[in-house]
Amino acid sequence: MMKTNIVGVYEDEDDLVDAIHQIQDKGIKVSDVFSPIPIHAVFEALKLKTRLPIATFIYGVIGVITMFGFLYWTSVISYPLRFGGKPLNSLSFIIIIFVMTIFIATLLTLITFFIRAKLAPGKKINVIDPRSTDDKFLIVIDKENHMTTNEIDAIKTALKESGAAEVNEVTQDVTDL
Amino acid sequence: MYKKQVRGVLVEGNKTYGQITRDITTTLYAKTPLWWYIASSISSIAIIVGIWAVYTTISVGIGTWGVNNNVAWGWGIINFVWWIGIGHAGTAFSIFLLILRQKWRTSINRAAEAMTVVAVICAGMFPMLHMGRIWDAFFILPYWNTRGPLWVNFNSPLFWDVVAISTYLMASAVFWYIGMIPDFATIRDNTTSVVKKRIYGFFSFGWIGSARGWLRFEAVSLLLGGLTAPLVVAVHSIVSMDFATSIMPGWHTTIFPPYFVVGAIFSGFGMVLTLMIIVRKVFKFQDYLTQSHFDAIARILTFISLIMATAYTTELFMAWYSGAEYEMFTFMRNRVTGEYTMAFWTMITCNAIIPQLFWFKRIRKNITIVFIISIFINIGMWFERYVIVVTSLSKDFLPSSWATYSPTSVEVGIFIGTLGIFTLGILMFFRYLPMMAISEIKGILKKTSK
């Protein structure tokens, strides 16, 4: 399947943020923004949110429960053996619970991040414009089949007016993605 | 809308985004310089020495070491603690300074993290070798076994060490790698070599720098940072408990966890300083590693050095004030004076006195002197561990159990081997990986903000 995008190329992050607002005010939907650096104003403008912190919190809770369960089971149920006159369910378990919670939460957060961001070693990609990981900032707008020439021209003009250095149409094969 | 200056210059020379990419990646595309081969060969020789020493240790036994029944811990544990301490720099840099929003960390954190990963690998070797029968090392893991199942002792600091260090290695390696993903993508999109494009493309995990990707990237960096920050404190506290939970005079003190954590960060920062000054000189990164970077590290070191001095004084004071005669003997007769007095005073001079020179602006500005002082800190921190490990064990409660300790060539060989692993690891990092966080440096380029 082929997909065509209208791409506005910007030189500066501040111009990019202004441009996103201008384009959105004209009722044009920005499908994605590509940049070499993270820009918080872009996240706000595109109303992007992530629930990753919630996931991490849940993993932390899972970590605490699993580790406490494991230590309690091994030391009290499976093979009760007293060390140094301490109770079987010892307070010093906190240390292992603490560290292993970090281990579990880190690992699961990492996996969640890779799954949600769809990152994997050797993943095939179509780079819209290779300069976007170097020094250019891109606003990408989907070119849909039902759009008339007038609509497309309006989008291009809007990109140009908002300060784009270049406006390109990029067609990509997105079959295997 | 108004623009205001939010910070001083962190990258000199009015760089553009494109220039930053090219400046940092040129070393990856350039021909391998001659010094790199020379340095790698020297490190490889050191590794061969290490392999010989490890082979002797495993095939003959721990009897080849200088340790004896009384001084049961020698260079093995000293070097373990030393390497772990150095390994605290990366996380301290990336994570504490990330959470404190210290923007100047961006040129340094990647190298510091690489240092951490290699140093922790070096550190991990020592306890394993110290076990004697390395082929039984898996006994330390709590696995289902046919002896009951009899579990490991979850109340033992030695087991906490296993948990803490493996977690630390995993977390710091993850943090390091995640940070490199956008930079791998930058290299993939900018290199002209097909092979490099393939390899870096593979490791870039398909990063394209979309807004959604960046949002999640920022979230995951902060989350992993938040998770690892308490770990930095926990790891060295646990290492200190290997000592502090025993009843040996000189070890059995409550000051140990904070004292060790501060010491670890001190030695880590010292090693970062040593390394970054070399990097600045060799790769000509004067625009990215500016005077103010070294100034900031030197100021931090001055402060930490004062904490170290306070800790040393507190130990001495408590030995006297507690009225415990064994403590008093260990500190006054076996450290301040006595057989190990040289080690003690080297420690005091290198850690508490010499770094005080950083109070003077002229010294902080002179990179050569800063470099020399950083070397002194590395040496001083090694001697600190020597003083702690050896003096307490050599003369404990009964004079009949007194013994002296000196390392054998096998122990020294293992240490040389780890130095080789460390140097070679760092050299590989400089040669094949982006040694500064390209995207993060681009992020701090603008002095203004809306």
Side-chain angles (χ1 to χ4, degrees):
Chain A
M1 195 184 83
M2 303 301 273
K3 187 167 177 278
T4 307
N5 293 307
I6 304 168
V7 182
V9 181
Y10 295 80
E11 303 273 356
D12 186 272
E13 66 207 74
D14 292 337
D15 296 348
L16 174 84
V17 174
D18 290 342
I20 294 172
H21 288 295
Q22 283 181 33
I23 290 163
Q24 281 177 333
D25 288 345
K26 286 181 184 156
I28 300 167
K29 193 173 165 290
V30 175
S31 94
D32 213 337
V33 173
F34 292 85
S35 56
I37 52 170
I39 307 161
H40 288 254
V42 172
F43 306 153
E44 283 161 26
L46 297 182
K47 297 191 178 59
L48 297 177
K49 287 215 169 64
T50 172
R51 285 166 299 173
L52 213 52
I54 303 170
T56 306
F57 177 74
I58 295 168
Y59 298 147
V61 174
I62 291 173
V64 171
I65 295 169
T66 325
M67 279 324 289
F68 179 73
F70 176 73
L71 292 176
Y72 187 86
W73 178 74
T74 50
S75 308
V76 180
I77 299 165
S78 170
Y79 199 110
L81 181 64
R82 268 187 206 285
F83 289 106
K86 285 183 189 168
L88 291 173
N89 181 23
S90 167
L91 190 66
S92 56
F93 285 173
I94 285 179
I95 293 173
I96 295 179
I97 295 174
F98 177 77
V99 176
M100 282 308 291
T101 301
I102 294 175
F103 188 98
I104 293 169
T106 306
L107 211 59
L108 293 180
T109 305
L110 179 76
I111 294 168
T112 315
F113 166 69
F114 281 151
I115 293 173
R116 287 295 293 159
K118 297 197 180 66
L119 297 177
K123 183 191 164 192
K124 274 192 187 172
I125 41 152
N126 279 329
V127 181
I128 291 182
D129 188 333
R131 292 173 300 171
S132 69
T133 53
D134 180 13
D135 60 347
K136 296 286 187 281
F137 299 80
L138 313 180
I139 291 182
V140 177
I141 296 162
D142 287 341
K143 185 181 162 189
E144 285 159 39
N145 292 334
H146 61 75
M147 283 182 177
T148 60
T149 330
N150 279 347
E151 278 174 326
I152 294 165
D153 284 343
I155 292 171
K156 285 185 177 171
T157 325
L159 284 169
K160 261 275 183 282
E161 278 172 1
S162 66
E166 297 167 29
V167 178
N168 306 321
E169 273 191 38
V170 181
T171 308
Q172 290 177 313
D173 184 3
V174 290
T175 323
D176 337 324
L177 297 182
Chain B
M1 290 276 197
Y2 63 94
K3 287 186 172 188
K4 64 173 182 178
Q5 184 160 340
V6 287
R7 65 183 85 95
V9 185
L10 295 171
V11 178
E12 283 174 357
N14 289 322
K15 304 277 180 192
T16 63
Y17 291 124
Q19 268 175 315
I20 293 176
T21 310
R22 265 160 285 294
D23 282 353
I24 296 170
T25 53
T26 30
T27 53
L28 302 173
Y29 308 141
K31 209 167 138 270
T32 312
L34 181 67
W35 65 262
W36 192 90
Y37 284 114
I38 297 170
S40 305
S41 312
I42 296 170
S43 338
S44 305
I45 294 168
I47 293 174
I48 292 167
V49 173
I51 291 171
W52 161 78
V54 169
Y55 175 76
T56 315
T57 307
I58 294 172
S59 59
V60 182
I62 289 295
T64 55
W65 290 15
V67 290
N68 48 51
N69 276 342
N70 307 307
V71 188
W73 282 359
W75 272 46
I77 298 298
I78 297 167
N79 295 328
F80 159 69
V81 182
W82 191 67
W83 279 122
I84 282 284
I86 288 171
H88 272 55
T91 26
F93 255 99
S94 327
I95 293 157
F96 287 157
L97 300 182
L98 172 79
I99 292 167
L100 296 172
R101 301 194 190 279
Q102 294 295 307
K103 302 282 183 189
W104 57 272
R105 61 182 256 289
T106 48
S107 332
I108 301 170
N109 61 351
R110 175 71 48 76
E113 285 163 30
M115 219 178 80
T116 294
V117 175
V118 191
V120 174
I121 291 170
C122 291
M125 283 176 57
F126 287 103
M128 297 233 290
L129 287 169
H130 216 311
M131 285 176 186
R133 297 177 187 166
I134 197 167
W135 51 92
D136 284 339
F138 65 93
F139 278 18
I140 194 76
L141 301 172
Y143 64 99
W144 192 276
N145 57 60
T146 51
R147 298 181 297 271
L150 178 62
W151 301 98
V152 295
N153 183 358
F154 296 111
N155 295 317
S156 161
L158 299 179
F159 178 68
W160 302 343
D161 249 355
V162 176
V163 176
I165 288 161
S166 41
T167 305
Y168 189 59
L169 179 61
M170 190 276 291
S172 44
V174 159
F175 200 78
W176 182 50
Y177 194 84
I178 291 256
M180 278 192 294
I181 288 177
D183 294 351
F184 284 149
T186 305
I187 299 167
R188 173 198 67 203
D189 293 344
N190 286 286
T191 179
T192 44
S193 145
V194 182
V195 180
K196 285 202 172 73
K197 204 179 189 67
R198 277 269 173 88
I199 295 172
Y200 288 106
F202 181 85
F203 289 111
S204 72
F205 281 35
W207 178 262
I208 40 174
S210 67
R212 232 173 237 96
W214 277 120
L215 176 72
R216 294 198 179 105
F217 177 86
E218 290 250 289
V220 84
S221 306
L222 210 57
L223 285 170
L224 293 185
L227 283 168
T228 323
L231 198 60
V232 178
V233 179
V235 170
H236 228 72
S237 299
I238 289 172
V239 170
S240 82
M241 284 180 219
D242 292 344
F243 299 91
T245 52
S246 75
I247 54 159
M248 295 302 292
W251 288 3
H252 191 58
T253 50
T254 46
I255 197 178
F256 257 43
Y259 168 38
F260 266 53
V261 172
V262 171
I265 294 172
F266 187 60
S267 65
F269 271 54
M271 193 55 115
V272 164
L273 204 51
T274 313
L275 206 67
M276 292 327 278
I277 291 173
I278 298 174
V279 168
R280 182 180 199 254
K281 188 82 192 154
V282 172
F283 294 102
K284 302 191 176 55
F285 275 145
Q286 277 85 343
D287 290 338
Y288 298 94
L289 297 163
T290 60
Q291 285 282 356
S292 53
H293 284 99
F294 295 118
D295 193 67
I297 302 176
R299 280 161 193 257
I300 292 174
L301 280 172
T302 322
F303 176 64
I304 305 178
S305 164
L306 283 176
I307 304 180
M308 297 299 289
T310 314
Y312 297 144
T313 328
T314 310
E315 276 195 315
L316 292 177
F317 172 75
M318 285 314 293
W320 167 74
Y321 190 67
S322 64
E325 55 183 314
Y326 297 107
E327 284 284 318
M328 193 64 182
F329 175 83
T330 302
F331 280 98
M332 296 305 173
R333 303 284 296 282
N334 207 22
R335 288 190 185 180
V336 179
T337 62
E339 225 181 318
Y340 299 103
T341 179
M342 274 296 288
F344 179 83
W345 290 106
T346 310
M347 164 186 108
I348 296 287
T349 317
C350 293
N351 294 346
I353 298 169
I354 293 178
Q356 298 308 319
L357 290 171
F358 284 144
W359 282 101
F360 304 103
K361 200 173 183 177
R362 282 178 62 185
I363 286 177
R364 289 202 306 270
K365 291 265 176 247
N366 187 331
I367 303 281
T368 320
I369 296 179
V370 172
F371 180 73
I372 293 167
I373 295 178
S374 78
I375 300 278
F376 273 118
I377 291 172
N378 293 327
I379 296 170
M381 286 312 293
W382 190 89
F383 273 100
E384 182 195 298
R385 277 64 178 252
Y386 184 87
V387 167
I388 292 170
V389 172
V390 176
T391 59
S392 287
L393 287 173
S394 69
K395 294 190 186 65
D396 63 359
F397 304 98
L398 287 173
S400 60
S401 64
W402 287 6
T404 49
Y405 165 78
S406 61
T408 62
S409 53
V410 177
E411 281 166 289
V412 179
I414 297 175
F415 181 54
I416 291 173
T418 52
L419 285 176
I421 295 174
F422 182 75
T423 330
L424 190 66
I426 295 294
L427 284 168
M428 300 281 264
F429 163 71
F430 286 153
R431 185 70 195 91
Y432 299 111
L433 298 175
M435 71 180 91
M436 288 182 193
I438 303 172
S439 63
E440 286 187 52
I441 293 182
K442 285 176 187 167
I444 58 152
L445 193 60
K446 291 217 159 176
K447 280 199 296 175
T448 55
S449 147
K450 281 193 179 174

